[in-house]
Amino acid sequence: MTDLEQKELMVQLGRSFYERGYSVGGAGNLSVRLDENRVLVTPTGSSLGRLKVERLSVLDMDGNVLEGDKPSKESVFHLEMYRKNPKCNAIVHLHCTYLTALSCLQGLDPTNAMKAFTPYYVMRVGKMQVIPYYRPGSPEIARELSERALSGKAFLLANHGVVVTGADLLDASDNTEELEETAKLFFTLQGQKIRYLTDDEVKDLENRGK
Ligand SMILES: O=C(O)[C@@H](O)C(=O)COP(=O)(O)O
Ligand SMILES: [Zn+2]
């Protein structure tokens, strides 16, 4: 894809997230690798519903701004994940309602915030590790995500939101939507006896891949 096509896709996905209630106000940020030296990221403070192609930020891998407005304050963790994992080509960070509600619960399993009860959760993301709470934009979030960048596709930031990676922007968006839907089911099922997938059922799905 050309830079312009990536920018247009980012604007379109941001608007779609916003219109469907996945993001509100200025919360959340998106990024995609343009090539091995450059990353496209949403500007800080911008509403995902009102992104403009010409204002999107282009950064080099050291965080220098090459084009556009001042980048997201979370661009430090985005860049860190790209540096660490060559297979990560796009990142979605949202404060979507159900995943953020989940991120506020006490006693989450740090290795996997949601035990699997549907196959698609396993097929798309597998597990969702929990990053302890840090102030948004802090270097500690980047450090924690960097340490885990090779060991998962989805990370819950405690009391904050979710970070999801993908092979491209569409893949990262689809992974995020699947996760949010799973979290919605999780809360819908509260008070009911959930039949979780067994370890063998999870392994079978992991072995088959997507
Ligand atoms: O929660 C926050 O403040 C950030 O993580 C966020 O979601 C929006 O920050 P910017 O991308 O700098 O607007
Ligand atoms: Zn945030």
Side-chain angles (χ1 to χ4, degrees):
M1 281 174 91
T2 64
D3 285 8
L4 181 60
E5 285 167 340
Q6 294 277 26
K7 289 177 181 180
E8 286 172 348
L9 180 60
M10 184 174 278
V11 170
Q12 183 194 319
L13 284 173
R15 191 181 310 123
S16 170
F17 277 138
Y18 185 83
E19 284 173 352
R20 292 178 296 144
Y22 282 82
S23 74
V24 294
N29 32 74
L30 311 172
S31 72
V32 64
R33 211 194 278 271
L34 292 175
D35 55 41
E36 59 188 25
N37 300 313
R38 295 175 312 139
V39 168
L40 181 68
V41 61
T42 49
T44 190
S46 53
S47 160
L48 296 189
R50 295 190 295 271
L51 296 173
K52 297 270 180 284
V53 161
E54 62 280 7
R55 299 187 65 175
L56 296 176
S57 320
V58 178
L59 306 182
D60 67 18
M61 297 311 285
D62 295 324
N64 298 309
V65 181
L66 306 175
E67 287 176 38
D69 288 1
K70 187 176 172 192
S72 167
K73 62 173 166 297
E74 306 291 16
S75 52
V76 180
F77 85 61
H78 288 249
L79 287 172
E80 195 55 39
M81 294 181 87
Y82 291 123
R83 280 191 216 105
K84 207 56 186 271
N85 186 351
K87 287 191 183 154
C88 167
N89 289 321
I91 300 174
V92 170
H93 165 56
L94 294 179
H95 301 178
C96 41
T97 307
Y98 292 94
L99 285 165
T100 305
L102 184 70
S103 82
C104 298
L105 294 183
Q106 290 186 10
L108 293 172
D109 174 356
T111 67
N112 189 14
M114 260 191 305
K115 240 178 114 191
F117 50 87
T118 60
Y120 218 46
Y121 171 65
V122 182
M123 286 152 61
R124 287 222 72 107
V125 298
K127 288 185 163 50
M128 184 164 52
Q129 297 176 57
V130 182
I131 308 294
Y133 174 76
Y134 297 103
R135 178 181 45 75
S138 66
E140 286 89 351
I141 297 182
R143 178 177 46 77
E144 297 266 0
L145 285 169
S146 168
E147 285 168 6
R148 295 169 174 81
L150 289 167
S151 64
K153 288 185 186 170
F155 307 89
L156 205 57
L157 304 182
N159 303 86
H160 180 168
V162 73
V163 175
V164 186
T165 68
D168 55 36
L169 258 183
L170 287 173
D171 186 48
S173 300
D174 287 352
N175 288 344
T176 309
E177 290 178 22
E178 181 59 33
L179 267 182
E180 174 68 350
E181 201 55 32
T182 308
K184 184 175 177 181
L185 287 172
F186 175 77
F187 284 106
T188 305
L189 286 164
Q190 287 306 295
Q192 316 281 332
K193 285 188 182 155
I194 299 177
R195 188 192 85 83
Y196 290 97
L197 297 184
T198 65
D199 289 349
D200 283 347
E201 286 166 343
V202 171
K203 273 197 201 97
D204 174 56
L205 292 163
E206 287 170 348
N207 292 339
R208 280 162 204 266
K210 257 193 222 174

